[in-house]
Amino acid sequence: MPTFNQIRAFLSQKTIGIAGAGGLGSNCAESLLRCGAGKLIVADYDRVSDSNLNRQFYFHDQIGEKKVDALRDNLLRISPFASLQMHFSRVTPDNIMLLFSTCDVVVEAFDEASQKNMIIEEMSAQLPQIPVVAASGLAGWGNSDKLRVTRSGNLYICGDEVSEVSEELPPLSPKVKIVSNLQADLVLEILLRDWYEN
């Protein structure tokens, strides 16, 4: 089995894209960086708000900042020499190639179902060789034993695929972090599988 230093050295050569810097994206980025991910490319067009602080990797004094800027600052506190490419922009079919064509794997970390479907479809059409790790079903609390990973070709979906966010079933930190860390763990599995095969 490889040591952590060997794993970190291997991961330092990899590029991971993250579409969205909210609850899933910010927490996934934190975990991947702590494992030694070489380069993160993150795209998001939102700003930090008070309502984000119950589950996202931001702090009260960052309210109002662009999420990509606040996330960069927080990640650099963990790893000052990390390679971070942050884009304050909405991910669309027209810029997916520009944003993610150099990535070894892309994490879908959007809130809206329409955005989730868009990136899954566009990645499949434009960059089918790149694995996509998506999320579906992370609202509320409890039933964490229902969380799982579903695999279909180069598409991986983490979550229970049932619970949808609503007023009665809000996204809360424990379950959001479990799913975002399932995504991060799956990214490691995909990348390290390449290492073992080569």
Side-chain angles (χ1 to χ4, degrees):
M1 294 296 288
T3 65
F4 175 64
N5 284 337
Q6 290 172 315
I7 292 171
R8 185 167 51 187
F10 178 77
L11 294 177
S12 72
Q13 306 301 313
K14 299 298 180 181
T15 299
I16 302 161
I18 300 179
L24 292 170
S26 64
N27 289 305
C28 187
E30 178 200 357
S31 291
L32 290 170
L33 194 71
R34 289 187 190 277
C35 292
K39 180 177 183 180
L40 299 180
I41 298 175
V42 183
D44 192 287
Y45 66 95
D46 201 3
R47 292 177 181 271
V48 178
S49 68
D50 184 63
S51 64
N52 299 148
L53 301 184
N54 72 346
R55 64 193 183 281
Q56 301 186 13
F57 181 43
Y58 301 109
F59 302 94
H60 192 271
D61 61 357
Q62 293 177 314
I63 290 174
E65 292 184 27
K66 297 173 184 174
K67 287 185 178 178
V68 288
D69 291 344
L71 182 57
R72 180 195 59 229
D73 292 346
N74 295 343
L75 293 174
L76 289 176
R77 292 180 67 185
I78 298 168
S79 181
F81 305 108
S83 177
L84 305 172
Q85 191 178 102
M86 314 304 272
H87 298 272
F88 182 62
S89 64
R90 186 180 185 103
V91 177
T92 71
D94 294 333
N95 64 13
I96 280 179
M97 183 71 78
L98 179 66
L99 290 169
F100 300 127
S101 63
T102 61
C103 294
D104 295 287
V105 60
V106 170
V107 175
E108 173 280 308
F110 292 131
D111 293 334
E112 300 170 15
S114 61
Q115 281 288 94
K116 290 176 178 290
N117 291 334
M118 181 277 296
I119 194 167
I120 289 170
E121 291 173 4
E122 292 298 328
M123 285 295 296
S124 176
Q126 297 185 39
L127 298 165
Q129 74 282 9
I130 299 176
V132 174
V133 178
S136 175
L138 49 80
W141 60 94
N143 295 317
S144 55
D145 56 322
K146 304 293 185 190
L147 300 173
R148 63 183 184 275
V149 176
T150 304
R151 304 160 196 254
S152 177
N154 253 357
L155 174 63
Y156 303 80
I157 298 176
C158 301
D160 63 22
E161 299 187 52
V162 175
S163 60
E164 294 186 20
V165 173
S166 66
E167 285 294 319
E168 296 76 27
L169 209 56
L172 297 173
S173 185
K175 209 163 183 179
V176 170
K177 285 188 175 181
I178 291 171
V179 174
S180 65
N181 279 295
L182 271 176
Q183 290 182 290
D185 188 60
L186 198 51
V187 168
L188 296 182
E189 180 182 325
I190 292 166
L191 295 177
L192 292 171
R193 182 179 59 208
D194 288 346
W195 184 30
Y196 281 108
E197 289 176 353
N198 294 321

